[in-house]
Amino acid sequence: MFRFITRRTLGAAVTLVIIAAVTFFLFFAVPADPARLACGKVCPPELLEQARHNLGLDLPLFAQFLAWLSGIFVGRDYEGLGHCPAPCLGYSFVNRAPVLETILDRLPLTVSLTIGAAAVFLTFGVATGIIAALRQGKPLDKIASVSSLIGASVQIYFVGTLALYFLVYKNHILQQPKYVPFTEDPLAWFSGLALPWVVLAIIFTANYTRMTRSTMVEELGEDYVRTARAKGMSGRSVVMRFALRGTMIPIVTIFGVDLGTLIGGAIITETTFGLQGLGQLSIRAVTNSDLPMLMATVLVAAGAIVVFNIVVDVLYAFIDPRVRLS
């Protein structure tokens, strides 16, 4: 397994470098001058050139990318801004703030939003799918199927807007969503993010309900499940020890992908509820042509997807003993 993880880690590093390079060079295809944005609307030509030099924009594109990449490992010196220690992701073109500090300040909110939503859709999606599979053709199964179809059809911003209007503004059932660090007040952390968790998890819950139900139905019809029942094992033991293990393999597969997708969903959710996380930060980076901030947010999102997929591959070996990592 150690060889497998090492090989996958090296492959992940190469993948992240390629993603960073593509993002970097595509940025300059946009007809915008970051130096002018950093210098201001009214900026004399000499100050514009000085700003371009301080930001390193007067270098060839390939040299700029190598300077940014090397800064992650050895740091980088910026004229007028001083030394940026490793891991250096640069300084924002807009407010000259260190990008890494800004990312670390916004990251806890996005991580909390992602983990909470994942817990919600895994718990309700898998549980509902199992119950529906065990009650095939009965009213509960039909209700679960219709609910999952509706959940998969709605959009985050639509559900979020309705939830805010009816639950927060009109009836005052819930408070306005906000982020409070877990270490400061766990109860406020939970209550402030509960509504965004549910809204973000709705679409994913529907998908997991349908997949769990269809997979569980197939597993319950397998020969080894029928054999276990013929030997006198209780229905609960058959489901938990045999059918559920086979069902979890495709669930874990899509879960690794969906965790990365949740970051994209968090952008819409944060915008809908006015939360200041990585989603809002990435939107502002694109709007303001803030290359260092854009590179950092893309790197974080891509890194999360790569790491989650490695974790999923490792989990296969624990779920299914037949899988061998080499």
Side-chain angles (χ1 to χ4, degrees):
M1 183 177 291
F2 177 76
R3 291 178 56 189
F4 171 80
I5 295 177
T6 301
R7 187 172 65 252
R8 287 298 304 272
T9 302
L10 293 176
V14 174
T15 301
L16 291 178
V17 171
I18 294 174
I19 292 174
V22 171
T23 304
F24 186 91
F25 291 110
L26 282 178
F27 173 83
F28 289 97
V30 179
D33 187 357
R36 184 170 295 279
L37 294 173
C39 189
K41 294 183 179 179
V42 181
C43 184
E46 58 274 11
L47 291 181
L48 180 62
E49 290 302 320
Q50 183 63 38
R52 184 173 287 108
H53 176 71
N54 292 341
L55 296 174
L57 297 174
D58 55 345
L59 299 173
L61 289 183
F62 190 71
Q64 292 184 43
F65 176 72
L66 289 181
W68 176 85
L69 188 62
S70 63
I72 298 178
F73 302 99
V74 298
R76 185 178 177 185
D77 293 320
Y78 288 86
E79 292 191 26
L81 296 174
H83 179 71
C84 177
C88 176
L89 296 176
Y91 289 87
S92 170
F93 286 171
V94 177
N95 55 20
R96 304 296 181 89
V99 171
L100 183 60
E101 292 183 8
T102 306
I103 292 291
L104 294 178
D105 182 61
R106 302 290 187 91
L107 187 60
L109 190 155
T110 302
V111 171
S112 297
L113 191 59
T114 302
I115 292 177
V120 171
F121 72 66
L122 266 183
T123 301
F124 288 95
V126 174
T128 304
I130 292 175
I131 295 173
L134 297 176
R135 300 289 187 273
Q136 294 181 57
K138 296 183 178 180
L140 188 59
D141 180 24
K142 296 178 180 179
I143 292 174
S145 299
V146 173
S147 300
S148 63
L149 180 62
I150 295 174
S153 304
V154 298
Q155 297 296 324
I156 293 175
Y157 62 85
F158 175 74
V159 178
T161 303
L162 289 180
L164 278 175
Y165 176 73
F166 287 105
L167 299 179
V168 178
Y169 301 137
K170 185 176 181 179
N171 298 312
H172 306 286
I173 298 175
L174 299 176
Q175 65 176 0
Q176 174 69 34
K178 63 179 180 179
Y179 174 70
V180 177
F182 180 83
T183 54
E184 293 183 8
D185 190 341
L187 183 59
W189 172 81
F190 180 85
S191 60
L193 293 178
L195 184 58
W197 285 343
V198 174
V199 171
L200 181 56
I202 285 178
I203 297 177
F204 294 94
T205 301
N207 294 334
Y208 279 77
T209 297
R210 291 185 299 174
M211 174 167 286
T212 303
R213 181 194 179 280
S214 60
T215 308
M216 178 65 74
V217 169
E218 292 180 3
E219 291 295 323
L220 291 174
E222 293 291 337
D223 292 338
Y224 68 90
V225 173
R226 291 198 295 266
T227 302
R229 284 175 171 172
K231 289 183 177 180
M233 292 187 65
S234 64
R236 181 177 180 181
S237 298
V238 170
V239 171
M240 299 302 296
R241 292 183 57 184
F242 297 101
L244 185 59
R245 173 171 289 187
T247 302
M248 290 305 296
I249 294 178
I251 296 298
V252 169
T253 301
I254 64 171
F255 181 63
V257 177
D258 285 343
L259 277 177
T261 308
L262 272 175
I263 298 178
I267 295 177
I268 303 175
T269 307
E270 290 173 9
T271 303
T272 303
F273 293 101
L275 300 173
Q276 301 298 317
L278 288 183
Q280 288 277 24
L281 197 64
S282 62
I283 292 176
R284 292 178 182 175
V286 173
T287 303
N288 298 323
S289 297
D290 193 350
L291 177 61
M293 197 67 70
L294 178 61
M295 293 288 291
T297 54
V298 169
L299 203 61
V300 170
I305 295 174
V306 169
V307 170
F308 292 149
N309 278 276
I310 294 177
V311 172
V312 165
D313 289 340
V314 174
L315 286 177
Y316 280 155
F318 294 95
I319 296 175
D320 190 347
R322 295 171 299 178
V323 176
R324 292 291 180 266
L325 303 179
S326 59

